[in-house]
Amino acid sequence: MTQPPPPPHQPPPGGGFGPPQDQPPQQQPGGGFGPPQPQQPPAQPPGQPPQPPAYGYPQAPQGAPQTPPPTPPASPGYGYPGPQPGAYGQPQNPYGQPGYGYPQQTVPLHAQSGGPGGGGGGGKSYTWLVVVAAAVVAIALVIGGVVIARSGDDGGKDDTAGSSGGTGGGGDDSGGGSTTPGKEKVPADPNSRVLFQVPAPKVADDTTISVSGSWLTDKAYVKSGVSEIVGYDPDKGTELWTIPLPGPVCRAAKHVTEDNLTAVAFEPAKPTKAKPSHGCTQVAAIDLDAGKKLWTKSAEVDGRLIPYDNITLSGGTVAAGGTSGGAAFDLESGKPLWVPKANDSCYDLGYAGGPKMVAVRKCGSYDQPQLNIQTIDPKTGKVISEYKMAEGVEYASVISTEPLVVAAEAGQSDSIGISDVFSIDNKTGKLRIRISVPGDQYAARCSGVTTIEACTGVVVGNDRLYVETEEHQGGGEYGRTNEIVAFDLATGKQTGQRADAGDRYTITPLRMDGGNVIAYKRPPYNKGGQIVSIDGGSFKETKLLENPAAKTVRDVETRMLPEYAELLYSQGRLYMSARYASELGTTYQKKYHVIAFGRTD
């Protein structure tokens, strides 16, 4: 049984936010002054991603006409197990669950026109339950008996970014967390420069092509292009090697082995007007150091090639899944390990990899789907443990496989939202705790309904969930801001840790570095973006990188934000790259495939 999912939700096209209203008026492209007026987002072909908004300066409307995706049958509701100690059904503070630092205020979802970002103006009315006076020194807010410590931002001079007792940690470790030190070096001067830029590849008019996939090794920064994979010198941007492919890379594994092997799924031919897609049916293993394709494989069920919506790797196995089922191959040799069974009433919707291999298996009918979250043996596919989601939950994404953390959405708004996070015991398959992360308070998203590992705004480490909050009014007259807060994956309760973005910045967690959280700060209209390390114990922020504030640089950076692009940071270098190549959108601003920043020290 195969039921294709509804088309993935696409982020809305948008314009820039413009400078704050008390600034001198800025001339807009095409004449006129002042910030751009809110517009209804234009439509766009299914599966065609819009260009992201450029934050801080007005932009022409992006995207092409679109037909809204069909609305799937309504889910019958979660039907979750009853509330558990510390779960979201238990009152945790007088302002509703869960409070994320400050007392809650009423802020409509997507209240800011043009999309998320750090540089928006005011002009909106908000109902505040409590007005918080922010001090310039560390203060504590007591909310429902939980102490929330205000974080600082210190460049630091230590050799590494510490974590809860490690070097460079500092502050009070009462928040707990891991004692694993981070590997990222703390600079004497965090200011960066542009290392290189790669222009956007040329594609046919009215065409959007996937260029998914970017990786970083000691030898190369590697990025998918149009029907190719290219290795670049990590400092100079000169091309080191190219792997040509017969068609576009439609899916890319985010994991890399110790010897720098990874995997991609791609189409067997290039798109044409007559046939814009040939199906994502090919799987290949890639050696990122040598710049070689090790093998190419496909799999069939009922005589038809299986198309893949996701790909991952774990324990020497490459696994790819989709609405026709999943298949797995040995990473070194390409030997098939398992394929879907014909006429099976269940199928592997997709896989998540890394430390463990986890399958999201779908059974039941379209109206009454049953998802099973299975930890499996990567060599045989044998089920080690299984957790059955409640009937009616249509799709789930895996945030982490060790510990096992799964996100799901109740189906009331869109296919990328997260309403609940499930902490599951890998060994037994039993639910540890369920955590509520409603979309009007938290900005975690999982793009697409079958991509399985494509979540942003949320990471897992130290047996905690670190999640980005939605934007809200900041301390300044026009500023908007947000935070990263932490939940304990054993109790489901907030730990009291909060990392503030700062006025007119917004902060997004990217990954863990030992016990620390590496996060990106989206800048206001007159600043460059930042990379910070957040100590896993004290939650003290240490600035690792700050990009140039020059408008020409900022215009490129702010079109490569985490919701729309791929961000990789390591040892003083930040790589931001596009997920799609397209001729759609503006023509007066040059487009880039990659922009790379490096510290000047």
Side-chain angles (χ1 to χ4, degrees), residues 37 68 133 211 229 436 454 489 522 545 552-553 568:
Q37 298 302 313
V211 288
I229 300 173
S436 175
L489 289 174
R522 290 168 277 190
L545 189 80
T552 52
V553 176
L568 296 177

Side-chain angles (χ1 to χ4, degrees), residues 447-514:
S447 60
V449 294
T450 57
T451 46
I452 306 300
E453 288 186 293
C455 295
T456 60
V458 59
V459 298
V460 168
N462 305 325
D463 204 35
R464 292 179 178 175
L465 181 80
Y466 299 102
V467 60
E468 171 186 354
T469 71
E470 277 288 356
E471 295 179 36
H472 55 81
Q473 191 68 28
E477 183 179 0
Y478 302 106
R480 292 179 63 76
T481 189
N482 76 331
E483 299 81 30
I484 293 173
V485 296
F487 290 88
D488 190 305
L489 289 174
T491 68
K493 296 180 179 179
Q494 284 196 32
T495 65
Q497 297 165 309
R498 189 194 70 222
D500 297 305
D503 199 26
R504 298 185 183 180
Y505 286 88
T506 53
I507 190 168
T508 300
L510 298 179
R511 63 173 176 86
M512 298 300 297
D513 172 37

Side-chain angles (χ1 to χ4, degrees), residues 343-366:
N343 301 319
D344 196 347
S345 61
C346 300
Y347 59 91
D348 289 351
L349 185 65
Y351 304 94
K356 304 281 187 182
M357 179 74 79
V358 172
V360 178
R361 189 162 179 80
K362 193 169 188 178
C363 303
S365 66
Y366 188 93

